[in-house]
Amino acid sequence: MTQATQATIESILQEKRLFAPPPEFSQQAYVGSFSEYQQLYDKAKANPEQFWGELAEQELHWFQKWNKVLDWQPPFAQWFVGGKINISYNCLDRHLTTWRKNKAALIWEGEPGDSRTLTYAQLHREVCQFANAMKQLGIKKGDRVGIYMPMIPEAAIAMLACARIGAPHSVVFGGFSAEALKDRLVDAQAKLVITADGGYRKDNIIPLKEQVDRALADNGAPTVENVLVVRRSQQQIHMEPGRDHWWHDLKQEVSADCPAEPMDSEDVLFILYTSGSTGKPKGVVHTTGGYNLYTHMTTKWIFDIKDTDVYWCTADIGWITGHSYIIYGPLSNGATSLMYEGVPRPSNPGCFWDIVEKYGVNIFYTAPTAIRTFIKMGEHLPKARDLSSLRLLGTVGEPINPEAWMWYYRVIGGERCPITDTWWQTETGGHMIASFPGAIPMKPGSATLPFPGVVADVVDLDGNPVKGEEGGYLVIKHPWPGMLRTVYNNPDRYRSTYWEHIPPKNEQYVYFSGDGARKDKDGYFWIMGRVDDVINVSGHRLGTMEIESALVSHPAVAEAAVVGKPDEVMGESIVAFVTLESKYSPSEGLINELRQHVSKEIGPIARPGEIRFTDALPKTRSGKIMRRLLRSIASGQEVAGDTSTLEDRSVLDKLRGGA
Ligand code: WTA
């Protein structure tokens, strides 16, 4: 557990408040009482295959029904074996034969204030055209497509178009550097990259196409044959003849007729890279049928989404939250999903509340780090807007401290909106532990209880359930439809990362989440943060190893160790301890250069907040860096616990003195 979460946990341990779901909310909710939730949970537990099979039949369109709900060859699962399905069909086509045809599917607001609304019929047409344009560029079922886009409707269109023709997409967050983009394109062996000339971010333009050019320079990603470019920011860019194509040109040539490809339920839908504790980011693989059902059901029940709602998730489509809860889950439900290109910024700190007012947003889903930023910016901003349309609030990304929860509840929700705190991961595809807003009493800081079909527990390293309310490792004991299927091109890493940390007993495999947690006497889960070397900066997952390798790739750096330090707004901030090659000496200039270097290698989100030079790093006799000590030093705390394994105690004294 990190120091940042330690602070949160301490306040959480004092937390005794309980908030019942507001009766007006429960009355209209899909699941309106605790006993209804309990029934669903018990039903799923008694017979998971029947539970998921019935829902798959009721809630989704299948070209062909499956012949087996679950095939579990631990740790490899297949869901709805033999079924044929297309998630783009479920998100679009099936709504066109209903009144929803002319309902808003996407409401989009650009950072400079431009806006667009696409009805289901319009979105369907655009997706079909985009899919045909990709086909014209030679993309076939099974080919991987990289998407490096700003938050504009074409990002959603591109994803749905890939899904439509069965080309797995791999979305790379627009804030990642050319270097990080290249690594991901190479690993996924992408054939096509979809990008834009540029995107708006905090009143600047991010030169996305230029970054793509850099990633592809010198044959950097040799599998990429074409680049499809959407015009957004209008700035001058280079168009490589024969490789780069404007979307608005191709659009003139293609038809809007593109039937959805019947996909095997287990065909890959997308690959999304995420940080782990070791090595390079992993390509988390999600497939079609199970992911469609899981994101559909969690959206329906956890967000209690109705046809009359305007639903807004503030994530970026570059993260799993954007995939599952801006695009696939909401559209599969026929909902209206709002997409915003911008973020609160000095020139427009109240932009979120303007948007809630402008569109009458009913359901609002954001991250604790954003809430803490709103608190800092002051109540006057939301207070100056009409937020009375809101009926449900959600949070995701990190543990929420009870003070932030209370502020969100009072100031944004006007004490009438339930808050659903949703614990889940890139790997889980959708919500795993989260309150049913009309059914489960809330405790500020707890993600409450597991979704039906999710068998969560807190165990020790041997896999034994911990006693009482002790902390331990959060694990999942039964497969669920939205789970990752493997790590792209690396099944061994899949097995060792997720299924072997806790040793399987009698073929009983448990999924290791990498999070610590505690279960209280009511069975509520309290997430305590990562137990591995992953840090969570403003809800973004970063592997300390990745940042360390970026640092040591600079000629001045001999060795680097990166740890998280508690930060009031970001949750954690990055502190790097660096030893220099003998030719170099510490300076302010070098600090800036190293921070810039990490930004270039990974992206601005990975830039260390602090760099400390040191003569040596504290290591064990076997040469392992003792990060625990560095974490204490970084946060100015006394170094507690056992230091007897330290190879050279004087290192510690020096570090302390320098800190
Ligand atoms: C953390 C984001 C506490 C957790 C969907 C997890 C949370 C990691 C919560 C996954 C929450 C996410 N409470 N911690 N409600 N939601 N986390 O893959 O440490 O970007 O392992 O997925 O975020 O981050 P990822």
Side-chain angles (χ1 to χ4, degrees), residues 274 319-321 395-400 421-427 433 447 513-515 527 529-530 536 539-541:
T274 190
W319 311 116
I320 190 70
T321 309
T395 80
V396 59
E398 50 179 316
I400 182 164
D421 175 353
T422 62
W423 176 82
W424 61 294
Q425 310 177 294
T426 305
E427 292 86 344
I433 301 178
S513 66
D515 279 321
I527 313 297
R530 303 289 307 193
N536 192 329
H540 299 150
R541 244 170 100 166

PDB file of all heavy atoms in Angstrom, residues 274 319-321 395-400 421-427 433 447 513-515 527 529-530 536 539-541, ligand 1:
ATOM      1  N   THR A 274      -2.030  -1.188 -20.723  1.00  0.00           N
ATOM      2  CA  THR A 274      -2.065  -0.638 -19.372  1.00  0.00           C
ATOM      3  C   THR A 274      -0.791  -1.001 -18.634  1.00  0.00           C
ATOM      4  O   THR A 274      -0.140  -1.988 -18.963  1.00  0.00           O
ATOM      5  CB  THR A 274      -3.323  -1.114 -18.616  1.00  0.00           C
ATOM      6  OG1 THR A 274      -3.423  -0.357 -17.404  1.00  0.00           O
ATOM      7  CG2 THR A 274      -3.263  -2.581 -18.253  1.00  0.00           C
ATOM      8  N   TRP A 319      -8.847   5.624 -22.280  1.00  0.00           N
ATOM      9  CA  TRP A 319      -8.820   4.731 -21.118  1.00  0.00           C
ATOM     10  C   TRP A 319     -10.002   3.784 -21.182  1.00  0.00           C
ATOM     11  O   TRP A 319     -10.978   4.020 -21.894  1.00  0.00           O
ATOM     12  CB  TRP A 319      -8.890   5.527 -19.808  1.00  0.00           C
ATOM     13  CG  TRP A 319      -7.922   6.653 -19.736  1.00  0.00           C
ATOM     14  CD1 TRP A 319      -8.226   7.983 -19.665  1.00  0.00           C
ATOM     15  CD2 TRP A 319      -6.484   6.578 -19.739  1.00  0.00           C
ATOM     16  NE1 TRP A 319      -7.072   8.723 -19.609  1.00  0.00           N
ATOM     17  CE2 TRP A 319      -6.002   7.900 -19.658  1.00  0.00           C
ATOM     18  CE3 TRP A 319      -5.574   5.518 -19.793  1.00  0.00           C
ATOM     19  CZ2 TRP A 319      -4.628   8.191 -19.628  1.00  0.00           C
ATOM     20  CZ3 TRP A 319      -4.221   5.812 -19.771  1.00  0.00           C
ATOM     21  CH2 TRP A 319      -3.763   7.132 -19.690  1.00  0.00           C
ATOM     22  N   ILE A 320      -9.945   2.740 -20.367  1.00  0.00           N
ATOM     23  CA  ILE A 320     -11.028   1.745 -20.379  1.00  0.00           C
ATOM     24  C   ILE A 320     -12.365   2.395 -20.020  1.00  0.00           C
ATOM     25  O   ILE A 320     -13.404   2.018 -20.556  1.00  0.00           O
ATOM     26  CB  ILE A 320     -10.712   0.556 -19.427  1.00  0.00           C
ATOM     27  CG1 ILE A 320     -11.701  -0.586 -19.618  1.00  0.00           C
ATOM     28  CG2 ILE A 320     -10.699   0.994 -17.981  1.00  0.00           C
ATOM     29  CD1 ILE A 320     -11.609  -1.346 -20.899  1.00  0.00           C
ATOM     30  N   THR A 321     -12.350   3.386 -19.130  1.00  0.00           N
ATOM     31  CA  THR A 321     -13.614   4.012 -18.734  1.00  0.00           C
ATOM     32  C   THR A 321     -14.310   4.628 -19.951  1.00  0.00           C
ATOM     33  O   THR A 321     -15.532   4.544 -20.089  1.00  0.00           O
ATOM     34  CB  THR A 321     -13.371   5.076 -17.638  1.00  0.00           C
ATOM     35  OG1 THR A 321     -12.599   4.461 -16.605  1.00  0.00           O
ATOM     36  CG2 THR A 321     -14.658   5.587 -17.061  1.00  0.00           C
ATOM     37  N   THR A 395     -18.265   7.717  -9.287  1.00  0.00           N
ATOM     38  CA  THR A 395     -16.823   7.974  -9.264  1.00  0.00           C
ATOM     39  C   THR A 395     -16.066   6.701  -9.631  1.00  0.00           C
ATOM     40  O   THR A 395     -16.547   5.600  -9.437  1.00  0.00           O
ATOM     41  CB  THR A 395     -16.277   8.450  -7.891  1.00  0.00           C
ATOM     42  OG1 THR A 395     -16.124   7.317  -7.043  1.00  0.00           O
ATOM     43  CG2 THR A 395     -17.155   9.458  -7.241  1.00  0.00           C
ATOM     44  N   VAL A 396     -14.870   6.907 -10.144  1.00  0.00           N
ATOM     45  CA  VAL A 396     -14.012   5.796 -10.547  1.00  0.00           C
ATOM     46  C   VAL A 396     -12.556   6.234 -10.596  1.00  0.00           C
ATOM     47  O   VAL A 396     -12.275   7.400 -10.831  1.00  0.00           O
ATOM     48  CB  VAL A 396     -14.395   5.268 -11.948  1.00  0.00           C
ATOM     49  CG1 VAL A 396     -14.294   6.350 -13.011  1.00  0.00           C
ATOM     50  CG2 VAL A 396     -13.526   4.068 -12.355  1.00  0.00           C
ATOM     51  N   GLY A 397     -11.658   5.296 -10.396  1.00  0.00           N
ATOM     52  CA  GLY A 397     -10.250   5.531 -10.677  1.00  0.00           C
ATOM     53  C   GLY A 397      -9.339   5.395  -9.490  1.00  0.00           C
ATOM     54  O   GLY A 397      -8.180   5.046  -9.643  1.00  0.00           O
ATOM     55  N   GLU A 398      -9.823   5.674  -8.300  1.00  0.00           N
ATOM     56  CA  GLU A 398      -8.992   5.588  -7.105  1.00  0.00           C
ATOM     57  C   GLU A 398      -9.934   5.638  -5.907  1.00  0.00           C
ATOM     58  O   GLU A 398     -11.101   6.003  -6.055  1.00  0.00           O
ATOM     59  CB  GLU A 398      -7.985   6.753  -7.058  1.00  0.00           C
ATOM     60  CG  GLU A 398      -8.682   8.058  -7.279  1.00  0.00           C
ATOM     61  CD  GLU A 398      -7.779   9.275  -7.218  1.00  0.00           C
ATOM     62  OE1 GLU A 398      -6.946   9.335  -6.313  1.00  0.00           O
ATOM     63  OE2 GLU A 398      -7.961  10.163  -8.040  1.00  0.00           O
ATOM     64  N   PRO A 399      -9.425   5.310  -4.732  1.00  0.00           N
ATOM     65  CA  PRO A 399     -10.290   5.408  -3.560  1.00  0.00           C
ATOM     66  C   PRO A 399     -10.710   6.862  -3.355  1.00  0.00           C
ATOM     67  O   PRO A 399      -9.912   7.769  -3.556  1.00  0.00           O
ATOM     68  CB  PRO A 399      -9.379   4.950  -2.412  1.00  0.00           C
ATOM     69  CG  PRO A 399      -8.249   4.203  -3.048  1.00  0.00           C
ATOM     70  CD  PRO A 399      -8.072   4.813  -4.404  1.00  0.00           C
ATOM     71  N   ILE A 400     -11.957   7.069  -2.999  1.00  0.00           N
ATOM     72  CA  ILE A 400     -12.398   8.451  -2.753  1.00  0.00           C
ATOM     73  C   ILE A 400     -12.363   8.692  -1.246  1.00  0.00           C
ATOM     74  O   ILE A 400     -12.887   7.886  -0.464  1.00  0.00           O
ATOM     75  CB  ILE A 400     -13.786   8.744  -3.363  1.00  0.00           C
ATOM     76  CG1 ILE A 400     -14.177  10.206  -3.132  1.00  0.00           C
ATOM     77  CG2 ILE A 400     -14.872   7.797  -2.874  1.00  0.00           C
ATOM     78  CD1 ILE A 400     -15.325  10.698  -3.996  1.00  0.00           C
ATOM     79  N   ASP A 421     -19.834   4.491  -6.166  1.00  0.00           N
ATOM     80  CA  ASP A 421     -18.370   4.446  -6.217  1.00  0.00           C
ATOM     81  C   ASP A 421     -18.044   3.113  -6.874  1.00  0.00           C
ATOM     82  O   ASP A 421     -18.359   2.053  -6.340  1.00  0.00           O
ATOM     83  CB  ASP A 421     -17.848   4.526  -4.777  1.00  0.00           C
ATOM     84  CG  ASP A 421     -16.338   4.371  -4.675  1.00  0.00           C
ATOM     85  OD1 ASP A 421     -15.673   4.079  -5.681  1.00  0.00           O
ATOM     86  OD2 ASP A 421     -15.823   4.532  -3.539  1.00  0.00           O
ATOM     87  N   THR A 422     -17.430   3.166  -8.066  1.00  0.00           N
ATOM     88  CA  THR A 422     -17.278   1.949  -8.862  1.00  0.00           C
ATOM     89  C   THR A 422     -15.826   1.486  -8.877  1.00  0.00           C
ATOM     90  O   THR A 422     -14.962   2.169  -9.399  1.00  0.00           O
ATOM     91  CB  THR A 422     -17.743   2.202 -10.313  1.00  0.00           C
ATOM     92  OG1 THR A 422     -16.919   3.220 -10.899  1.00  0.00           O
ATOM     93  CG2 THR A 422     -19.190   2.648 -10.368  1.00  0.00           C
ATOM     94  N   TRP A 423     -15.563   0.327  -8.297  1.00  0.00           N
ATOM     95  CA  TRP A 423     -14.217  -0.243  -8.375  1.00  0.00           C
ATOM     96  C   TRP A 423     -14.146  -1.217  -9.541  1.00  0.00           C
ATOM     97  O   TRP A 423     -14.962  -2.148  -9.636  1.00  0.00           O
ATOM     98  CB  TRP A 423     -13.826  -0.985  -7.090  1.00  0.00           C
ATOM     99  CG  TRP A 423     -12.477  -1.631  -7.282  1.00  0.00           C
ATOM    100  CD1 TRP A 423     -11.268  -1.014  -7.159  1.00  0.00           C
ATOM    101  CD2 TRP A 423     -12.203  -2.977  -7.702  1.00  0.00           C
ATOM    102  NE1 TRP A 423     -10.252  -1.899  -7.478  1.00  0.00           N
ATOM    103  CE2 TRP A 423     -10.793  -3.104  -7.827  1.00  0.00           C
ATOM    104  CE3 TRP A 423     -13.017  -4.075  -8.013  1.00  0.00           C
ATOM    105  CZ2 TRP A 423     -10.180  -4.293  -8.219  1.00  0.00           C
ATOM    106  CZ3 TRP A 423     -12.397  -5.258  -8.409  1.00  0.00           C
ATOM    107  CH2 TRP A 423     -10.989  -5.356  -8.508  1.00  0.00           C
ATOM    108  N   TRP A 424     -13.183  -0.998 -10.398  1.00  0.00           N
ATOM    109  CA  TRP A 424     -12.937  -1.933 -11.505  1.00  0.00           C
ATOM    110  C   TRP A 424     -11.619  -1.577 -12.152  1.00  0.00           C
ATOM    111  O   TRP A 424     -10.899  -0.705 -11.659  1.00  0.00           O
ATOM    112  CB  TRP A 424     -14.105  -1.930 -12.500  1.00  0.00           C
ATOM    113  CG  TRP A 424     -14.397  -0.618 -13.179  1.00  0.00           C
ATOM    114  CD1 TRP A 424     -14.859   0.528 -12.588  1.00  0.00           C
ATOM    115  CD2 TRP A 424     -14.268  -0.324 -14.571  1.00  0.00           C
ATOM    116  NE1 TRP A 424     -15.020   1.507 -13.532  1.00  0.00           N
ATOM    117  CE2 TRP A 424     -14.672   1.018 -14.748  1.00  0.00           C
ATOM    118  CE3 TRP A 424     -13.868  -1.059 -15.696  1.00  0.00           C
ATOM    119  CZ2 TRP A 424     -14.670   1.635 -16.007  1.00  0.00           C
ATOM    120  CZ3 TRP A 424     -13.879  -0.446 -16.937  1.00  0.00           C
ATOM    121  CH2 TRP A 424     -14.278   0.888 -17.078  1.00  0.00           C
ATOM    122  N   GLN A 425     -11.257  -2.250 -13.233  1.00  0.00           N
ATOM    123  CA  GLN A 425      -9.935  -2.090 -13.847  1.00  0.00           C
ATOM    124  C   GLN A 425     -10.025  -2.301 -15.358  1.00  0.00           C
ATOM    125  O   GLN A 425     -10.989  -2.898 -15.843  1.00  0.00           O
ATOM    126  CB  GLN A 425      -8.982  -3.161 -13.315  1.00  0.00           C
ATOM    127  CG  GLN A 425      -8.942  -3.279 -11.827  1.00  0.00           C
ATOM    128  CD  GLN A 425      -8.036  -4.406 -11.372  1.00  0.00           C
ATOM    129  OE1 GLN A 425      -8.320  -5.568 -11.620  1.00  0.00           O
ATOM    130  NE2 GLN A 425      -6.942  -4.050 -10.718  1.00  0.00           N
ATOM    131  N   THR A 426      -8.973  -1.878 -16.068  1.00  0.00           N
ATOM    132  CA  THR A 426      -8.881  -2.153 -17.500  1.00  0.00           C
ATOM    133  C   THR A 426      -9.146  -3.637 -17.744  1.00  0.00           C
ATOM    134  O   THR A 426      -9.855  -4.021 -18.672  1.00  0.00           O
ATOM    135  CB  THR A 426      -7.455  -1.804 -17.993  1.00  0.00           C
ATOM    136  OG1 THR A 426      -7.183  -0.449 -17.641  1.00  0.00           O
ATOM    137  CG2 THR A 426      -7.333  -1.976 -19.495  1.00  0.00           C
ATOM    138  N   GLU A 427      -8.594  -4.456 -16.882  1.00  0.00           N
ATOM    139  CA  GLU A 427      -8.672  -5.901 -17.055  1.00  0.00           C
ATOM    140  C   GLU A 427     -10.070  -6.460 -16.828  1.00  0.00           C
ATOM    141  O   GLU A 427     -10.401  -7.522 -17.352  1.00  0.00           O
ATOM    142  CB  GLU A 427      -7.724  -6.597 -16.063  1.00  0.00           C
ATOM    143  CG  GLU A 427      -6.246  -6.370 -16.322  1.00  0.00           C
ATOM    144  CD  GLU A 427      -5.705  -5.089 -15.675  1.00  0.00           C
ATOM    145  OE1 GLU A 427      -6.517  -4.221 -15.274  1.00  0.00           O
ATOM    146  OE2 GLU A 427      -4.468  -4.967 -15.568  1.00  0.00           O
ATOM    147  N   ILE A 433     -17.150  -3.934  -8.236  1.00  0.00           N
ATOM    148  CA  ILE A 433     -17.713  -3.652  -6.912  1.00  0.00           C
ATOM    149  C   ILE A 433     -18.236  -2.227  -7.003  1.00  0.00           C
ATOM    150  O   ILE A 433     -17.470  -1.310  -7.319  1.00  0.00           O
ATOM    151  CB  ILE A 433     -16.645  -3.774  -5.807  1.00  0.00           C
ATOM    152  CG1 ILE A 433     -16.045  -5.188  -5.815  1.00  0.00           C
ATOM    153  CG2 ILE A 433     -17.232  -3.419  -4.447  1.00  0.00           C
ATOM    154  CD1 ILE A 433     -14.953  -5.414  -4.788  1.00  0.00           C
ATOM    155  N   ALA A 447     -16.623   1.163  -1.946  1.00  0.00           N
ATOM    156  CA  ALA A 447     -17.266   0.828  -3.227  1.00  0.00           C
ATOM    157  C   ALA A 447     -18.443  -0.126  -2.996  1.00  0.00           C
ATOM    158  O   ALA A 447     -19.083  -0.563  -3.941  1.00  0.00           O
ATOM    159  CB  ALA A 447     -16.245   0.237  -4.189  1.00  0.00           C
ATOM    160  N   SER A 513      -6.020  -8.890  -8.306  1.00  0.00           N
ATOM    161  CA  SER A 513      -6.314  -7.562  -8.874  1.00  0.00           C
ATOM    162  C   SER A 513      -5.147  -6.595  -8.775  1.00  0.00           C
ATOM    163  O   SER A 513      -5.124  -5.586  -9.466  1.00  0.00           O
ATOM    164  CB  SER A 513      -7.503  -6.956  -8.136  1.00  0.00           C
ATOM    165  OG  SER A 513      -7.135  -6.695  -6.781  1.00  0.00           O
ATOM    166  N   GLY A 514      -4.194  -6.870  -7.862  1.00  0.00           N
ATOM    167  CA  GLY A 514      -3.126  -5.894  -7.627  1.00  0.00           C
ATOM    168  C   GLY A 514      -3.531  -4.823  -6.625  1.00  0.00           C
ATOM    169  O   GLY A 514      -2.760  -3.927  -6.314  1.00  0.00           O
ATOM    170  N   ASP A 515      -4.759  -4.893  -6.101  1.00  0.00           N
ATOM    171  CA  ASP A 515      -5.224  -3.934  -5.098  1.00  0.00           C
ATOM    172  C   ASP A 515      -5.321  -4.595  -3.729  1.00  0.00           C
ATOM    173  O   ASP A 515      -5.629  -5.787  -3.625  1.00  0.00           O
ATOM    174  CB  ASP A 515      -6.626  -3.411  -5.460  1.00  0.00           C
ATOM    175  CG  ASP A 515      -6.568  -2.310  -6.501  1.00  0.00           C
ATOM    176  OD1 ASP A 515      -5.652  -1.465  -6.430  1.00  0.00           O
ATOM    177  OD2 ASP A 515      -7.439  -2.283  -7.389  1.00  0.00           O
ATOM    178  N   ILE A 527     -11.490  -0.327  -0.700  1.00  0.00           N
ATOM    179  CA  ILE A 527     -10.299  -0.533  -1.518  1.00  0.00           C
ATOM    180  C   ILE A 527      -9.164   0.309  -0.937  1.00  0.00           C
ATOM    181  O   ILE A 527      -9.354   1.488  -0.641  1.00  0.00           O
ATOM    182  CB  ILE A 527     -10.540  -0.100  -2.984  1.00  0.00           C
ATOM    183  CG1 ILE A 527     -11.869  -0.669  -3.513  1.00  0.00           C
ATOM    184  CG2 ILE A 527      -9.355  -0.475  -3.877  1.00  0.00           C
ATOM    185  CD1 ILE A 527     -11.972  -2.149  -3.574  1.00  0.00           C
ATOM    186  N   GLY A 529      -5.980   0.599  -2.386  1.00  0.00           N
ATOM    187  CA  GLY A 529      -4.968   1.022  -3.356  1.00  0.00           C
ATOM    188  C   GLY A 529      -4.053  -0.116  -3.772  1.00  0.00           C
ATOM    189  O   GLY A 529      -4.144  -1.239  -3.267  1.00  0.00           O
ATOM    190  N   ARG A 530      -3.137   0.184  -4.686  1.00  0.00           N
ATOM    191  CA  ARG A 530      -2.298  -0.837  -5.289  1.00  0.00           C
ATOM    192  C   ARG A 530      -1.319  -1.422  -4.274  1.00  0.00           C
ATOM    193  O   ARG A 530      -0.788  -0.713  -3.433  1.00  0.00           O
ATOM    194  CB  ARG A 530      -1.492  -0.246  -6.456  1.00  0.00           C
ATOM    195  CG  ARG A 530      -2.323   0.395  -7.539  1.00  0.00           C
ATOM    196  CD  ARG A 530      -3.104  -0.550  -8.374  1.00  0.00           C
ATOM    197  NE  ARG A 530      -2.320  -1.614  -8.958  1.00  0.00           N
ATOM    198  CZ  ARG A 530      -2.786  -2.411  -9.937  1.00  0.00           C
ATOM    199  NH1 ARG A 530      -3.997  -2.238 -10.438  1.00  0.00           N
ATOM    200  NH2 ARG A 530      -2.039  -3.364 -10.403  1.00  0.00           N
ATOM    201  N   ASN A 536      -0.788   5.657  -8.923  1.00  0.00           N
ATOM    202  CA  ASN A 536      -2.036   6.152  -9.473  1.00  0.00           C
ATOM    203  C   ASN A 536      -2.017   7.678  -9.384  1.00  0.00           C
ATOM    204  O   ASN A 536      -2.262   8.256  -8.343  1.00  0.00           O
ATOM    205  CB  ASN A 536      -3.186   5.556  -8.638  1.00  0.00           C
ATOM    206  CG  ASN A 536      -4.528   5.770  -9.285  1.00  0.00           C
ATOM    207  OD1 ASN A 536      -4.748   6.763  -9.974  1.00  0.00           O
ATOM    208  ND2 ASN A 536      -5.434   4.844  -9.068  1.00  0.00           N
ATOM    209  N   GLY A 539      -5.725   9.304 -11.091  1.00  0.00           N
ATOM    210  CA  GLY A 539      -6.524   8.214 -11.664  1.00  0.00           C
ATOM    211  C   GLY A 539      -5.862   7.534 -12.851  1.00  0.00           C
ATOM    212  O   GLY A 539      -6.446   6.657 -13.458  1.00  0.00           O
ATOM    213  N   HIS A 540      -4.642   7.924 -13.198  1.00  0.00           N
ATOM    214  CA  HIS A 540      -3.931   7.247 -14.288  1.00  0.00           C
ATOM    215  C   HIS A 540      -2.934   6.259 -13.718  1.00  0.00           C
ATOM    216  O   HIS A 540      -2.141   6.586 -12.845  1.00  0.00           O
ATOM    217  CB  HIS A 540      -3.184   8.253 -15.179  1.00  0.00           C
ATOM    218  CG  HIS A 540      -4.083   9.238 -15.828  1.00  0.00           C
ATOM    219  ND1 HIS A 540      -3.697  10.509 -16.154  1.00  0.00           N
ATOM    220  CD2 HIS A 540      -5.370   9.140 -16.218  1.00  0.00           C
ATOM    221  CE1 HIS A 540      -4.699  11.139 -16.708  1.00  0.00           C
ATOM    222  NE2 HIS A 540      -5.726  10.336 -16.759  1.00  0.00           N
ATOM    223  N   ARG A 541      -2.974   5.077 -14.275  1.00  0.00           N
ATOM    224  CA  ARG A 541      -2.098   4.009 -13.811  1.00  0.00           C
ATOM    225  C   ARG A 541      -0.745   4.114 -14.461  1.00  0.00           C
ATOM    226  O   ARG A 541      -0.649   4.089 -15.683  1.00  0.00           O
ATOM    227  CB  ARG A 541      -2.735   2.711 -14.282  1.00  0.00           C
ATOM    228  CG  ARG A 541      -3.176   1.832 -13.220  1.00  0.00           C
ATOM    229  CD  ARG A 541      -3.986   0.753 -13.861  1.00  0.00           C
ATOM    230  NE  ARG A 541      -3.192  -0.433 -14.019  1.00  0.00           N
ATOM    231  CZ  ARG A 541      -3.737  -1.612 -14.308  1.00  0.00           C
ATOM    232  NH1 ARG A 541      -5.029  -1.712 -14.504  1.00  0.00           N
ATOM    233  NH2 ARG A 541      -2.987  -2.674 -14.413  1.00  0.00           N
TER     234      ARG A 541
HETATM  235  C1  WTA B   1      -7.943   1.920  -8.978  1.00  0.00           C
HETATM  236  C2  WTA B   1      -9.894   2.249 -14.206  1.00  0.00           C
HETATM  237  C3  WTA B   1     -10.592   2.564  -5.476  1.00  0.00           C
HETATM  238  C4  WTA B   1      -7.502   0.554  -8.479  1.00  0.00           C
HETATM  239  C5  WTA B   1     -11.367   1.794 -14.268  1.00  0.00           C
HETATM  240  C6  WTA B   1      -7.477  -0.272  -9.749  1.00  0.00           C
HETATM  241  C7  WTA B   1     -10.079   2.313  -7.701  1.00  0.00           C
HETATM  242  C8  WTA B   1      -7.005   0.722 -10.773  1.00  0.00           C
HETATM  243  C9  WTA B   1     -11.434   2.529  -8.045  1.00  0.00           C
HETATM  244  C10 WTA B   1      -7.461   0.389 -12.164  1.00  0.00           C
HETATM  245  C11 WTA B   1     -12.369   2.801  -6.980  1.00  0.00           C
HETATM  246  C12 WTA B   1     -10.301   2.151  -9.850  1.00  0.00           C
HETATM  247  N1  WTA B   1     -11.888   2.804  -5.720  1.00  0.00           N
HETATM  248  N2  WTA B   1      -9.673   2.331  -6.421  1.00  0.00           N
HETATM  249  N3  WTA B   1     -13.650   3.064  -7.206  1.00  0.00           N
HETATM  250  N4  WTA B   1     -11.539   2.423  -9.384  1.00  0.00           N
HETATM  251  N5  WTA B   1      -9.408   2.106  -8.850  1.00  0.00           N
HETATM  252  O1  WTA B   1      -7.063  -0.002 -15.134  1.00  0.00           O
HETATM  253  O2  WTA B   1      -6.216   0.669  -7.922  1.00  0.00           O
HETATM  254  O3  WTA B   1      -7.066   2.527 -15.244  1.00  0.00           O
HETATM  255  O4  WTA B   1      -6.625  -1.375  -9.673  1.00  0.00           O
HETATM  256  O5  WTA B   1      -9.096   1.204 -14.610  1.00  0.00           O
HETATM  257  O6  WTA B   1      -7.578   1.972 -10.346  1.00  0.00           O
HETATM  258  O7  WTA B   1      -7.112   1.406 -13.067  1.00  0.00           O
HETATM  259  P1  WTA B   1      -7.527   1.301 -14.590  1.00  0.00           P
END
